[in-house]
Structures are given as structure tokens and as C-alpha cells.
């Protein structure tokens, strides 16, 4: 079946560095992806999305890159801040059905 | 402010008891979802509703029930048939049920067994 997953369970960075969080997917027909941020004890918060007709999309301090050839997307956070510490996960569509499949998440730890 | 409200934040269930988790949205979204989140796992879909008075089972519906009598509300009942109910439950909504629409989440209900 379809899968959406993340490469690393934990990523540690220093404050001010750029962070890159990766996600791989298996369904080549997937045409839409979302990145979420989840802080402890809270629900996932929408960060940014991207459709398959784009390779790159930028938001405030965040950039998502989509490589359809290798079925990989990444979330880049510029000038990482302590408030960025959270679990980040990607989501993509499930083939033949109107629902999303969620990855397991990468925990981003930002140290001062 | 528009959003999704889940209540209660914490809930305890006794053996043999049914409990109901509330989810209300004022975003005027047609579609609503219930997920279960366990440590180290991705979100798993319990039930979803594409429109009022309609709902379908997700991947792990056994031991759960839902209703969708109003557009704004999608309560989830965890029945005594659910033998491992301890988890973080998340409700979400989206403009439509198409998988190319973002889902927006509430802040969850943590259910534990007494």
C-alpha cells in the first residue's frame, strides 16, 4: 500500500542554523503534500503545502522542495529558532480514496 | 476565531464504559475526520464524514462509533469493545474530502484507562 515516511526520527540543530527535514513517499501518482508541525500535547498545525505541478514553494522562513523523480520532499526551515522545536511530519494522498496518509514524524530539537 | 475545538482535553475511562469525545468546528467545512495517535506511529484514521448525515469507516474503526447530525459537530464514542483505547485522539476538518485539500486539526483529547 501507499506510504509516506520520514528519514530520521530526530534532528538536532543549533539555533540560527538551517534545518532540513526529509520525507519519502511511495505513490508516484501523489499530487499533493502537506507539512505539519506538532508541539507536545497539541494538535498538528498546518505549515505549508505543495502540489505536484510545482518543485518548490516558499513560505515565511520555510521552503518545501518536491522531487517527483525520486519521490522525495523536504522541508527547509531557515534560521531555526527554539520555538521551532516540535515534531514535523508530511502527509500525502492515498490512491483511489479521498484521504491522507501521514508519516511518523521527525522530532526537531533546537539548542541555544 | 475560526477553528476546531475538542473536549475534554483529558478523559479517563473505566472498564466496560463508553465515553464520547466532542469535536466542533466553525470553519464551515464539509469534511471531518477522527484520528488516533500512538507513540512512534503516524496518524491512523478511525472514521471520516464527507457531509452531514454521512460517515464511513477508516482503517481502525472497530470499537468506535460516530454521528454527523450537524455540519459543525462530529462526536466520537469509544465503546467498551475497544480493548486498547489509551491514545491521543485528534479531530480534523477540511473544506471537502478531496485528498488535495489540507486538513486542520484540533488540539486533541488524551484518553486513558482507569
Amino acid at each position: 500500500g501507499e506510504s509516506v515516511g520520514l528519514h530520521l526520527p530526530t534532528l538536532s540543530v543549533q539555533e540560527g542554523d538551517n534545518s532540513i527535514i526529509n520525507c519519502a513517499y511511495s505513490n508516484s501518482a501523489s499530487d499533493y503534500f502537506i507539512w505539519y508541525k506538532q508541539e507536545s500535547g497539541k494538535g498538528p498545525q498546518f505549515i505549508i503545502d505543495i502540489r505536484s505541478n510545482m518543485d518548490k514553494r516558499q513560505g515565511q522562513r520555510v521552503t518545501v522542495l518536491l522531487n517527483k523523480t525520486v519521490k522525495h520532499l523536504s522541508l527547509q526551515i531557515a534560521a531555526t529558532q527554539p520555538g521551532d522545536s516540535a515534531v514535523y511530519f508530511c502527509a500525502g494522498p492515498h490512491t483511489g480514496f479521498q484521504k491522507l496518509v501521514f508519516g511518523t514524524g521527525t522530532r526537531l530539537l533546537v539548542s541555544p | 476565531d475560526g477553528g476546531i475545538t475538542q473536549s475534554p482535553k483529558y478523559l479517563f475511562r473505566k472498564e466496560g464504559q463508553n465515553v464520547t469525545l466532542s469535536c466542533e468546528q466553525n470553519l464551515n467545512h464539509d469534511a471531518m475526520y477522527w484520528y488516533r495517535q500512538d507513540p512512534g506511529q503516524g496518524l491512523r484514521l478511525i472514521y471520516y464524514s464527507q457531509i452531514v448525515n454521512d460517515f464511513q469507516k477508516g482503517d481502525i474503526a472497530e470499537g468506535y462509533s460516530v454521528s454527523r447530525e450537524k455540519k459543525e459537530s462530529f462526536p466520537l464514542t469509544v465503546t467498551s469493545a475497544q480493548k486498547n483505547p489509551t491514545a491521543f485522539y485528534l479531530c480534523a476538518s477540511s473544506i471537502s474530502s478531496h485528498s488535495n485539500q489540507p486538513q486542520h486539526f484540533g488540539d486533541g483529547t488524551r484518553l486513558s484507562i482507569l
Side-chain angles (χ1 to χ4, degrees):
Chain A
E2 291 82 0
S3 68
V4 176
L6 292 172
H7 288 178
L8 293 174
T10 305
L11 175 64
S12 296
V13 301
Q14 296 247 307
E15 182 178 358
D17 286 352
N18 295 336
S19 302
I20 300 177
I21 301 170
N22 297 301
C23 182
Y25 61 94
S26 62
N27 181 8
S28 57
S30 295
D31 58 357
Y32 178 68
F33 298 93
I34 309 169
W35 279 100
Y36 287 96
K37 171 187 180 182
Q38 187 175 21
E39 296 175 277
S40 181
K42 294 190 175 181
Q45 176 186 1
F46 172 88
I47 302 174
I48 192 169
D49 57 3
I50 188 167
R51 301 188 189 279
S52 60
N53 60 351
M54 304 172 72
D55 297 323
K56 178 180 179 180
R57 190 168 187 216
Q58 289 185 291
Q60 188 176 13
R61 279 202 308 119
V62 296
T63 301
V64 56
L65 299 177
L66 176 61
N67 186 330
K68 295 179 285 293
T69 302
V70 296
K71 292 184 282 187
H72 178 273
L73 68 157
S74 65
L75 176 71
Q76 300 179 1
I77 305 174
T80 312
Q81 303 168 359
D84 294 327
S85 294
V87 174
Y88 292 82
F89 54 90
C90 61
H94 187 285
T95 300
F97 181 65
Q98 296 157 333
K99 69 176 184 179
L100 294 174
V101 177
F102 294 84
T104 54
T106 289
R107 181 172 297 279
L108 178 64
L109 302 172
V110 183
S111 54
Chain B
D1 287 348
I4 301 172
T5 302
Q6 290 188 242
S7 63
K9 190 169 178 65
Y10 300 96
L11 187 58
F12 298 91
R13 196 191 86 169
K14 296 180 182 178
E15 289 288 338
Q17 185 182 41
N18 295 351
V19 291
T20 297
L21 285 59
S22 170
C23 178
E24 303 279 330
Q25 55 100 358
N26 60 4
L27 300 167
N28 200 33
H29 285 173
D30 281 325
M32 296 187 74
Y33 311 82
W34 274 105
Y35 293 92
R36 171 179 171 140
Q37 188 174 40
D38 294 282
Q41 297 190 36
L43 302 182
R44 292 186 290 167
L45 183 64
I46 303 172
Y47 268 97
Y48 69 100
S49 169
Q50 297 178 340
I51 201 165
V52 176
N53 293 321
D54 179 69
F55 52 83
Q56 286 85 39
K57 293 181 179 180
D59 300 319
I60 54 166
E62 185 174 351
Y64 301 97
S65 65
V66 294
S67 62
R68 187 86 188 276
E69 298 175 0
K70 297 188 298 181
K71 187 175 186 177
E72 308 80 33
S73 180
F74 191 40
L76 173 74
T77 296
V78 183
T79 73
S80 57
Q82 172 49 245
K83 299 307 180 187
N84 184 24
T86 298
F88 191 48
Y89 290 87
L90 289 161
C91 178
S93 71
S94 60
I95 292 174
S96 74
S97 60
H98 290 292
S99 58
N100 62 356
Q101 295 290 335
Q103 294 180 17
H104 300 274
F105 288 83
D107 273 340
T109 292
R110 188 166 298 279
L111 176 62
S112 303
I113 296 295
L114 280 179

